[in-house]
């Protein structure tokens, strides 16, 4: 196909502008590829001079670098001209044509070579030319393709550009002019002496640096700002005078070319000489931070303390500490607190700081759980201090208060906590505490609602008395006893279904009375919260009772056979309805709804984990068998303790002690809690016990050892048929019973050696392990029933358990989120920071769905 004059000359004429721009782009592209080393060298040298780096080198080094730079510049210039080729019009036309589909420009420049005389062929060719003309009319200038990476693999051009950018921000063109003085061999400027100066505030203030040439008259700077001055020209032509630093030594010469000092007080700064200037500078001192408590301490139902406080500083608070010490002068020194207390370390806490936002003035709340601490519910002094970035600490803000701890409303639980506090006050209170515990457990039928509580208290009492008798009641033993008393007090306070029901009734009665008497909104809201907690506790106790004993658990008094089925959502809806009626002032309707709620709660059954009516389940039988074993072990331990007392004091088993032990100790210990009554039965039990004690006296330790071995064999049989195999809690229960067997075996060996003290210790270990086994077995049974009750719900979910974008499991109501308390644990602020970091991390992961990332970004904006 030959080429001649194009028929579409007008179309080609319209391509002049895009063709010219494309030609310029190709020219710039080739120039950049040929001359990039030259312009990179030029801007690098310019940036170096603007930053004044040449002033830091000797004149010889500056000359050497100048020669090297010039030589490199000439080399790069010659090399660039050799590589540069000016593009032709055809190059631009080919580049433009290649950017269009089908190369229409070349097609317009072609002519028909075959069949130009054929009309049909000419028509086809004409149509083709028209189509190519329309495509060519859409031509646009082609962007240049500057690809320097192959010629600059280390990206040196970007380093030079970065250096120039830094010089434009922090350098000065005045410094470029100083290079001309190198040829004259001095540091002065040809046009006369000049100066430069900067004020750099401390970094923690967040304030920008100041250029002294831009400042006029009077201005303020933070205390500790660094002032730097540089004098250029003949030495002595310019001098510096200042009263800001307060220096009296090592001030140097006023004409030194470079001067630096710290502004510590207000004063004047003067640069004397040609083009000199004077400033009045006010130095703003860094004030001491401040902290204060803004409210009274509050405590939650679980004993968690919350104390609001405020802190401020002129810049930022970077940390704070709270120290809690015992206010001994304010303690009422009586009973167990009358003795001198043992030294206790102060409680040290880090004050919480805002995770984000301004820290110069903020309000926060200090949280802490001190329910188990020896200072709980005692007068203390709380001292708060905060620190700023300069290292200054605030004056201590001291608050005198009663350290909040958990409240125990049950009289028995309160008494146990009081004895625990006496023990923690001083180990010398061991004898007093043992006497009080023995008095508390003297008539168990009138105090203890559950036999387990009584047995655990007797174990604690036996251990304390034994350790005191052998002089081994040390601080470690005291702490173990205090921990056991705390656990026992929680068991008594939380109670069982009956206690939870009674607490719920009291809460309902108080709320009803408050509505009748026209109480304030705050009081009604507080009583409503108490009722919610009481209802939740009642449901939890019902669940535990169901898990321990199956469906045939003991029902509350007054419960009807046609018990109602109620879920957590139903209960929450009723509570919300009552609160809504009270807020609207419809007290009569609210009281009626409250009565209906009370009737429903008393007649309710938990709608999960239900078993059919009938014979006791396998788990219930196993639990009852372990309870019998625990009672028998307690009886053996009491008998061994009485024998130990008789060894040291044969006349000690008389009077009150004998009556108490005969009633509740020995093999018949469990009989006093079986709701038996009648004199004949009590006498029969006493005679049986006396005969048993006489037989034990004849057999000595051998009789007790044989009973201990029989009890161990029975426990081994129970462990072999224990349900819940394969689950974590079931395996833990078997391990606990195995430990109990080993302890029983050790107790039997000690009884054969007539080592009663060792036997009592091993028996106590066996009882502790038995209790652990019973607790783990209850958890295993509850887990099994829960899995059975929730199987239908789990099968209905798609893709397994639903989770929200933060990976949280659904709450009890089945909605995404969590119904668990978040303010728990040792360090809630560390946990908050971890969660915020995790949100930031997930919001930046591009693989996550856009909806989830948008949700996470909204969380970050909020917090």
């Amino acid at each position: 196909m030959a080429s001649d004059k194009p028929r579409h000359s007008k179309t080609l004429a319209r391509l002049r502008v895009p063709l010219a721009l494309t030609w310029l782009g190709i020219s710039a592209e080739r120039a950049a590829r040929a001359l990039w080393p030259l312009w990179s060298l030029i801007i690098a040298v310019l940036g170096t001079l603007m930053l004044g780096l040449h002033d830091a080198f000797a004149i010889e080094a500056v000359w050497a670098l100048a020669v090297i730079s010039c030589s490199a510049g000439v080399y790069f210039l010659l090399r660039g001209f050799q590589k540069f080729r000016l593009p032709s019009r055809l190059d631009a036309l080919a580049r433009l044509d290649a950017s269009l589909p089908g190369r229409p420009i070349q097609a317009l420049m072609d002519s028909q070579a075959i069949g130009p005389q054929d009309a049909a062929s000419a028509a086809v060719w004409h149509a083709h030319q028209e189509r190519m003309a329309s495509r060519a009319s859409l031509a646009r200038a082609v962007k240049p393709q500057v690809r320097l990476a192959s010629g600059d693999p280390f990206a040196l051009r970007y380093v030079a550009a970065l250096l120039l950018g830094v010089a434009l921000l922090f350098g000065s063109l005045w410094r470029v002019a100083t290079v001309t003085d190198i040829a004259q061999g001095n540091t002065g400027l040809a046009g006369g002496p000049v100066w430069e100066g900067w004020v750099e505030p401390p970094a923690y203030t967040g304030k920008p640096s100041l250029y002294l040439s831009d400042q006029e008259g009077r201005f303020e700077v933070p205390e500790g700002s660094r002032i730097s001055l540089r004098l250029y020209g003949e030495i002595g032509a310019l001098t510096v005078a200042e009263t800001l630093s307060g220096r009296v030594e090592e001030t140097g010469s006023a004409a030194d070319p470079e001067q630096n000092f710290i502004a510590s007080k207000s004063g004047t700064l003067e640069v004397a000489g040609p083009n000199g200037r004077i400033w009045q500078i006010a130095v703003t001192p860094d004030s001491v931070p401040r902290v204060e408590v803004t409210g009274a301490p509050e405590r939650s139902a679980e004993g968690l303390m919350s104390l609001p406080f405020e802190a401020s500083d002129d810049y930022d608070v970077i940390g704070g500490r709270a120290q809690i010490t015992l206010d001994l002068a304010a303690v009422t020194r009586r009973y167990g607190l009358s003795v001198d207390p043992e030294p206790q370390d102060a409680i040290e806490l880090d004050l919480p700081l805002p995770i984000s936002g301004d820290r110069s003035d903020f309000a926060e709340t200090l949280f802490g759980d001190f329910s188990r601490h020896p200072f709980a519910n005692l007068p203390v002094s709380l001292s708060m201090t905060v620190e700023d970035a300069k290292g200054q600490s605030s004056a201590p803000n001291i608050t005198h208060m009663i350290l909040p701890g958990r409240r125990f409303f049950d009289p028995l639980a309160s008494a146990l906590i009081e004895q625990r506090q006496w023990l923690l006050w001083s180990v010398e209170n061991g004898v007093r505490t043992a006497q009080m515990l023995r008095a508390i457990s003297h008539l168990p039928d009138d105090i203890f609602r559950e036999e387990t509580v009584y047995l655990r208290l007797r174990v604690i009492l036996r251990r304390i008395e034994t350790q005191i008798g052998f002089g081994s009641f040390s601080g470690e033993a005291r702490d173990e006893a205090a921990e056991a008393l705390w656990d026992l007090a929680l068991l008594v306070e939380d109670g069982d279904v009956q206690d939870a029901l009674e607490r719920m009734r009291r809460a309902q009665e108080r709320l009803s009375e408050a509505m009748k008497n026209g109480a304030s909104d705050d009081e009604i809201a507080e009583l409503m919260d108490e009722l919610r907690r009481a209802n939740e506790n009642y449901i939890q106790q019902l669940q535990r009772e169901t898990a321990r004993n199956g469906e045939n658990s003991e029902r509350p008094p007054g419960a009807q056979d046609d018990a109602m089925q109620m879920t957590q959502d139903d209960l929450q809806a009723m509570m919300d309805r009552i609160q809504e009626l009270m807020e609207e002032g419809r007290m009569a309707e609210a009281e009626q709804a409250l009565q209906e709620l009370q009737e429903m709660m008393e007649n309710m059954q938990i709608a999960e984990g239900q078993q059919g009516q009938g014979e006791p389940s396998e788990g219930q039988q196993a639990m009852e068998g372990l309870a019998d074993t625990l009672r028998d072990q307690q009886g053996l331990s009491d008998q061994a303790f009485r024998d130990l007392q008789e060894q040291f004091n044969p006349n000690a088993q008389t009077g009150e002690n004998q009556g108490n032990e005969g009633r509740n100790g020995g093999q018949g210990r469990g009989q006093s809690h079986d709701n038996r009554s009648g004199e004949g039965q009590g006498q029969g039990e006493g005679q049986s016990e006396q005969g048993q004690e006489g037989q034990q006296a004849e057999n000595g330790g051998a009789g007790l050892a044989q009973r201990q071995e029989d009890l161990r064999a029975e426990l081994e049989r129970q462990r072999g048929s224990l349900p819940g195999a394969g689950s974590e809690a079931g395996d833990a229960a078997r391990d606990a019973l195995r430990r109990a067997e080993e302890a029983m075996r050790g107790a039997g060996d000690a009884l054969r050696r007539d080592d009663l003290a060792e036997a009592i210790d091993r028996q106590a270990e066996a009882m502790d392990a038995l209790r652990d086994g019973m607790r783990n077995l209850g958890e295993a049974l509850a887990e099994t029933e829960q899995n059975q009750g929730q199987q239908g719900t789990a099968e209905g979910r798609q893709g397994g358990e639903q989770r929200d974008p933060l990976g949280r499991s659904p709450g009890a109501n089945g909605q995404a989120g969590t119904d668990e308390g978040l303010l728990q644990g040792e360090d809630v602020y560390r946990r908050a920071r971890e969660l915020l970091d995790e949100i930031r991390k997930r919001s930046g992961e591009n693989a996550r769905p856009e909806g989830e990332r948008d949700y996470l970004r909204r969380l970050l904006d909020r917090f």
Side-chain angles (χ1 to χ4, degrees), residues 4-191:
D4 57 7
K5 182 178 179 180
R7 297 175 57 186
H8 298 273
S9 57
K10 292 183 180 181
T11 302
L12 294 176
R14 296 193 202 101
L15 299 178
R16 290 178 181 176
V17 175
L19 184 62
L21 294 177
T22 302
W23 182 86
L24 291 176
I26 297 175
S27 301
E29 175 184 321
R30 294 183 178 182
R33 293 177 180 177
L35 298 175
W36 74 263
L38 179 62
W39 59 256
S40 298
L41 177 64
I42 292 174
I43 65 175
V45 171
L46 181 60
T48 302
L49 295 177
M50 290 178 64
L51 290 174
L53 300 181
H54 57 281
D55 295 335
F57 296 95
I59 296 178
E60 294 78 6
V62 175
W63 272 109
L65 292 175
V67 170
I68 294 174
S69 299
C70 292
S71 301
V74 172
Y75 169 74
F76 291 142
L77 179 62
L78 296 176
R79 180 173 174 269
F81 278 117
Q82 291 177 355
K83 295 181 62 177
F84 180 74
R85 293 291 182 270
L86 193 66
S88 64
R89 185 175 181 273
L90 291 178
D91 294 334
L93 192 62
R95 175 74 65 88
L96 184 62
D97 194 20
S99 66
L100 300 172
R103 293 185 175 269
I105 298 176
Q106 183 64 43
L108 291 176
M109 297 174 64
D110 292 341
S111 61
Q112 186 177 4
I114 301 175
Q117 305 301 328
D118 185 5
S121 177
V124 172
W125 176 255
H126 179 70
H128 173 67
Q129 291 286 85
E130 291 295 335
R131 185 166 57 251
M132 292 298 102
S134 62
R135 290 185 182 180
S137 63
L138 301 177
R140 297 292 183 268
V142 181
K143 297 180 180 179
Q145 300 176 358
V146 184
R147 297 173 180 172
L148 303 179
S150 58
D152 183 19
F154 300 104
L156 298 178
R157 62 193 185 280
Y158 293 129
V159 176
L162 177 62
L163 182 61
L164 180 61
V166 173
L168 291 174
L169 290 175
F170 303 104
S172 172
L173 288 174
W174 283 101
R175 295 180 178 178
V176 179
T178 61
V179 75
T180 59
D181 295 334
I182 298 178
Q184 303 175 6
N186 58 59
T187 58
L189 292 175

Side-chain angles (χ1 to χ4, degrees), residues 740-770:
E741 290 181 32
E742 294 297 329
M744 288 181 180
R745 183 178 287 106
D749 295 340
L751 288 173
R752 293 186 185 91
R753 299 193 308 268
D754 203 21
D755 188 353
L756 296 178
E758 174 67 17
I760 292 174
D761 288 340
R762 300 307 301 272
Q763 288 170 342
E765 294 176 6
M767 286 184 285
D768 289 340
L770 274 172

Side-chain angles (χ1 to χ4, degrees), residues 371-533:
S371 298
R372 298 191 177 206
H373 198 274
F375 296 166
N377 299 313
L378 290 177
V380 295
S381 296
L382 185 144
S383 176
M384 281 189 181
T385 58
V386 292
E387 183 180 356
D388 63 9
K390 189 180 179 181
Q392 301 179 116
S393 296
S394 66
N397 181 272
I398 299 178
T399 303
H400 298 279
M401 64 179 186
I402 302 296
L403 185 63
R406 173 163 180 165
R407 290 180 177 176
F408 290 85
F409 299 96
D410 188 279
L412 176 58
S414 179
L416 295 177
I417 290 299
E418 183 180 23
Q419 301 310 309
R420 175 183 180 272
Q421 188 178 63
W422 290 3
L423 280 180
L424 295 176
W425 182 266
S426 175
V427 74
E428 297 179 6
N429 285 326
V431 177
R432 184 196 301 266
T433 299
Q435 293 174 349
M436 293 298 297
L437 294 180
R438 181 168 288 278
I440 291 173
S441 60
H442 176 59
L443 297 176
D445 291 341
D446 299 333
I447 297 178
F448 297 90
R449 293 185 298 270
E450 295 184 13
E451 185 174 342
T452 304
V453 176
Y454 170 75
L455 294 175
R456 293 182 63 172
L457 179 59
R458 296 296 292 182
V459 171
I460 298 172
L461 174 61
R462 291 289 185 268
R463 186 172 296 178
I464 294 176
E465 290 181 339
T466 302
Q467 291 170 341
I468 292 176
F470 286 91
S472 60
F473 192 64
S474 60
E476 182 178 355
R478 182 268 313 274
D479 294 340
E480 293 179 358
E483 184 68 20
L485 286 174
W486 173 267
D487 295 338
L488 186 58
L490 288 182
L491 177 62
V492 174
E493 178 69 17
D494 293 339
D496 54 8
V497 176
Q498 299 290 346
D499 299 325
L501 178 61
E502 185 62 29
R503 185 180 303 174
M504 183 185 66
R505 287 173 176 171
R506 290 198 303 266
Q508 292 171 341
E509 291 174 0
R510 284 195 292 267
L511 180 58
S512 179
E513 288 294 328
M515 289 190 294
K516 292 179 181 178
N517 298 331
S520 63
D521 294 341
D522 294 339
E523 183 178 357
I524 289 180
E526 182 178 356
L527 292 174
M528 194 68 187
D529 290 339
E530 181 182 354
L531 178 59
R532 288 179 186 271
R533 292 193 299 269

Side-chain angles (χ1 to χ4, degrees), residues 140 167 233 258 333 459 533 672 692 772 813 823:
R140 297 292 183 268
E258 186 172 346
R333 305 293 297 277
V459 171
R533 292 193 299 269
S672 63
Q692 186 182 54
D772 292 340
N813 55 7
L823 293 178

Side-chain angles (χ1 to χ4, degrees), residues 831-851:
R831 178 59 177 160
R833 294 189 188 97
E834 291 177 353
L835 289 176
L836 194 60
D837 292 341
E838 182 66 18
I839 292 175
R840 289 195 183 100
K841 173 186 174 183
R842 297 191 180 191
S843 64
E845 295 177 354
N846 295 329
R848 293 185 176 276
E850 183 60 29

